[in-house]
Amino acid sequence: MKFHNRRIAALVAVALSASLGLAACGGSDSDSSGGGSGGSGDISVTFLPKNLGNPYFDTSDAGGEKAVKEFKGTYEEVGPDAASPDAQVPFINTAAQQGVSALVVSANDPKAICDALNEARDAGTKVVTFDSDTDASCRDLYINQATAEGIAKTQVDQIAEQIGDSGEIAILSAAANATNQNAWIELMKKDLAADHPNITLVDTVYGDDDDQKSFDQTAALLQKHPDLKGIISPTTVGIAAAARYLSTSSSKGKVALTGLGTPNQMRDYVTDGTVTSFALWNPGDLGYLAAYAAKALVDGDITGKSGDTFSAGDLGDFTVGDNGEVLLGDPFVFTKDNIDQFNF
């Protein structure tokens, strides 16, 4: 399924309307059988983001809440205040004890939560990862926002264009153990080596998806590397914090910044010239798709094997690929010419 401009514009209303209802609907009082019909209201879905208070997950989880309301299930969002490898484990254990039908998780670490997830699965809870995966043995499905190769290439292409395909760049990532971040970074390195020999990656630093730490890491990068020409931040918290620092520094207009961000976070920085372009998918759609995938698992419509198909409400039909992966679509690049068309 492709993520064309017309389609993302049409679906922005989904994310916007969902974002107005971020508060959780309540606890889970469903049965733990993992069965039931889609409209009977007995499917409970708990979303567990990397951390609470993150605008990206506010939007993605609100999309999940919208989907759960559509199929008359019970929605809840829980999670740690800070993203760390084992911080999600207590929430997984609690959800399993409560007998929730499905857990939708963005993993802080590919292995640290596996035992807890498999215990939940043994208890009858379906497990869907989204945004950031675990090992495939720890979940039933992974909802991927876009291919890792596509995400990495989009960011490298943008920074290469912005710095004239030559010079020093750095990466400002999220947590050092974040599955998706590390996969993207490795692919960026390969792309740079193969297709951009005049660009040198001089540093990779971690802001742990914390605004202040990401802000401080940006300042440190510029001090440590005075010839730096560009920064890639493949995390919505990181790119916004880096843009905030650059916007009032002497490096504005001299050091390019791109990565993954939301339009509402980045609009001012695109308007004032701090940022030329950045990319993302629609996080509301990602959560929405994850919730419908969870429903399909609970209903027994799919098992997670390659070739399984299911319907995801307004987004249409999807097919499960290899390793239990479902692909949302292609990254979308935001610029000053299109950013005002979006509100999430």
Side-chain angles (χ1 to χ4, degrees), residues 9 49 79 130 133 141 191 263 328 338:
F130 78 114
D133 199 11
L141 279 180
D191 191 3
L328 175 63
N338 63 30

Side-chain angles (χ1 to χ4, degrees), residues 22-63:
L22 296 179
C25 297
S28 57
D29 53 2
S30 68
D31 64 55
S32 58
S33 65
S37 67
S40 62
D42 61 355
I43 297 178
S44 54
V45 182
T46 295
F47 270 67
L48 175 55
K50 290 179 182 177
N51 60 302
L52 299 179
N54 182 323
Y56 173 88
F57 289 115
D58 288 346
T59 303
S60 64
D61 291 7

Side-chain angles (χ1 to χ4, degrees), residues 88-98 103 115-117 119-120:
Q88 295 171 309
V89 170
F91 298 97
I92 296 168
N93 293 338
T94 297
Q97 291 164 5
Q98 292 174 341
L103 265 170
D115 287 345
L117 287 177
E119 287 177 9

Side-chain angles (χ1 to χ4, degrees), residues 46 48 107 114 119 123 136 143 145 161 180 223 242 262 289 307 311:
T46 295
L48 175 55
C114 272
E119 287 177 9
I143 310 303
Q145 53 270 51
E161 180 180 355
N180 53 353
Q223 183 174 8
T262 68
L289 174 57
S311 178

Side-chain angles (χ1 to χ4, degrees), residues 150-160 184 188 232-235 258-260 279:
I151 293 168
K153 181 172 173 31
T154 294
Q155 295 176 87
V156 170
D157 285 350
Q158 288 178 84
I159 203 68
W184 299 334
M188 285 187 224
I232 298 175
S233 187
T235 161
T258 193
L260 304 178

Side-chain angles (χ1 to χ4, degrees), residues 51-225:
N51 60 302
L52 299 179
N54 182 323
Y56 173 88
F57 289 115
D58 288 346
T59 303
S60 64
D61 291 7
E65 181 179 16
K66 181 180 187 297
V68 174
K69 286 182 176 179
E70 285 181 358
F71 58 73
K72 298 180 172 60
T74 302
Y75 168 89
E76 185 174 18
E77 181 195 51
V78 299
D81 292 328
S84 65
D86 58 357
Q88 295 171 309
V89 170
F91 298 97
I92 296 168
N93 293 338
T94 297
Q97 291 164 5
Q98 292 174 341
V100 300
S101 305
L103 265 170
V104 180
V105 184
S106 179
N108 279 319
D109 186 279
K111 298 182 183 295
I113 62 175
C114 272
D115 287 345
L117 287 177
N118 280 327
E119 287 177 9
R121 294 169 75 198
D122 289 343
T125 296
K126 301 299 183 182
V127 172
V128 176
T129 56
F130 78 114
D131 175 69
S132 184
D133 199 11
T134 60
D135 286 352
S137 62
C138 312
R139 44 74 172 167
D140 298 294
L141 279 180
Y142 170 45
I143 310 303
N144 194 353
Q145 53 270 51
T147 65
E149 292 81 4
I151 293 168
K153 181 172 173 31
T154 294
Q155 295 176 87
V156 170
D157 285 350
Q158 288 178 84
I159 203 68
E161 180 180 355
Q162 292 169 27
I163 67 171
D165 208 16
S166 178
E168 295 182 355
I169 67 168
I171 294 173
L172 170 62
S173 185
N177 292 321
T179 315
N180 53 353
Q181 300 282 312
N182 290 335
W184 299 334
I185 290 169
E186 287 306 308
L187 288 165
M188 285 187 224
K189 290 177 179 177
K190 292 179 181 178
D191 191 3
L192 287 167
D195 297 327
H196 304 278
N198 295 322
I199 296 179
T200 303
L201 177 62
V202 294
D203 211 345
T204 300
V205 297
Y206 302 93
D208 294 332
D209 267 347
D210 177 85
D211 176 76
Q212 188 59 50
K213 184 172 182 180
S214 299
F215 182 91
D216 294 341
Q217 290 281 31
T218 304
L221 277 174
L222 295 172
Q223 183 174 8
K224 182 179 178 182
H225 303 285

